[in-house]
Amino acid sequence: MASPKDYSDEEVVRSAPLFSALDDAASASLRQSMEPVKVGKGNTLFKVGDIGDRLFVVVSGKLKLGTTSIDGRENLLTILGPGEMFGELSLFDPGPRTATATAVTDAKLMALSHDKVIGWVTEHPNVSLQLLGRLAQRLRRSNEVLADLVFSDVPGRVAKAIMDLGTRFGVQKDDGLHVNHDLTQEELAQLVGASRETVNKALADFAGRGWVRLEPRAVVVIDQERLSKRGR
Ligand code: CMP
């Protein structure tokens, strides 16, 4: 599994759904319409309910997308990393931002105004197909998350979340799959929709069985087969 560091910023941006249907010339032109944005670790890029007029592609670093309940509890929808896009829902379904975006690590992004997206989609029908594909993927994933909340127990959801983060951010080394998720235990709990205590208990149980090794803001998966099976 290649580490995100193995790719140049240019390659990362080109892997985003907006670009995948474009040839080199169109892709370079689209990049020129985009503006670089930096967000420091812990800073919020936008909040749920804000007016949104841009979408973003992550070039480096990680962001969390989440919502907060009236009584202040937080729920994380997803963690995004290099090559992933967000901030398009308020364009296709005009209205306020549907989630709050906060940097989990220092992050570099490229921003494209919604107006320009409309221009690109109109001129390049393949771009809309790619965007539709990504929206469909997200809906599929959201359905799965919903089903897991109803049918799966907390350890199962923790196992699945670690394997999912591992697929996107993991680096295979001799001693296992290193998943540097950069999340606190509280954030990991918000991602699986459970309390920190229950999530910690599940992680300690996996570690006791020799499936994982726990490190600060990272997990090393030693037995991928058993962990995947537990998350099924
Ligand atoms: P927008 O509503 O403009 O701003 C928040 C963004 O979070 C939204 O666009 C999507 O890009 C993203 N988002 C919202 N819900 C989800 C979800 N369930 N999974 C992944 N990303 C999401």
Side-chain angles (χ1 to χ4, degrees):
M1 206 172 287
S3 141
K5 287 203 178 72
D6 296 339
Y7 300 104
S8 68
D9 286 1
E10 169 97 28
E11 284 170 321
V12 170
V13 173
R14 278 216 66 170
S15 70
L18 262 179
F19 287 85
S20 42
L22 301 178
D23 61 24
D24 286 350
S27 173
S29 161
L30 179 56
R31 269 199 70 153
Q32 285 192 344
S33 311
M34 299 181 89
E35 276 181 41
V37 175
K38 282 187 177 173
V39 204
K41 179 178 172 175
N43 288 339
T44 293
L45 178 66
F46 58 71
K47 286 198 171 132
V48 63
D50 285 355
I51 303 292
D53 60 358
R54 298 190 292 175
L55 65 71
F56 301 89
V57 173
V58 183
V59 178
S60 65
K62 293 190 188 82
L63 286 102
K64 58 179 183 179
L65 295 178
T67 54
T68 309
S69 68
I70 292 171
D71 60 1
R73 282 173 301 150
E74 285 191 42
N75 169 242
L76 291 187
L77 296 165
T78 192
I79 307 296
L80 297 178
E84 292 182 287
M85 184 193 72
F86 65 102
E88 78 298 337
L89 284 190
S90 51
L91 163 69
F92 296 123
D93 179 21
R97 294 285 191 199
T98 55
T100 297
T102 306
V104 172
T105 65
D106 285 345
K108 277 201 287 178
L109 316 170
M110 293 293 273
L112 184 66
S113 76
H114 284 171
D115 292 349
K116 288 193 175 133
V117 181
I118 295 295
W120 274 91
V121 168
T122 315
E123 280 172 36
H124 304 268
N126 277 345
V127 172
S128 10
L129 277 181
Q130 296 291 332
L131 291 176
L132 276 174
R134 211 43 73 100
L135 285 176
Q137 249 177 26
R138 194 177 291 161
L139 182 59
R140 188 191 285 272
R141 190 179 163 276
S142 297
N143 287 349
E144 233 181 80
V145 168
L146 197 62
D148 288 342
L149 278 173
V150 177
F151 300 125
S152 186
D153 59 1
V154 174
R157 302 207 301 266
V158 174
K160 197 165 183 176
I162 295 172
M163 288 312 298
D164 176 47
L165 290 165
T167 309
R168 292 177 316 127
F169 304 119
V171 177
Q172 188 66 53
K173 296 190 184 169
D174 289 347
D175 60 343
L177 179 67
H178 286 238
V179 187
N180 297 331
H181 51 67
D182 290 300
L183 302 175
T184 62
Q185 290 179 340
E186 186 67 46
E187 286 168 332
L188 204 53
Q190 290 165 357
L191 189 62
V192 297
S195 71
R196 191 161 63 89
E197 291 72 20
T198 333
V199 171
N200 282 350
K201 219 169 120 193
L203 285 170
D205 176 61
F206 296 159
R209 291 168 190 266
W211 297 356
V212 302
R213 196 171 71 238
L214 303 176
E215 294 184 352
R217 300 197 181 215
V219 176
V220 180
V221 182
I222 299 160
D223 193 333
Q224 289 185 48
E225 199 184 322
R226 288 218 162 79
L227 194 67
S228 300
K229 222 169 169 179
R230 187 62 184 85
R232 228 172 263 152

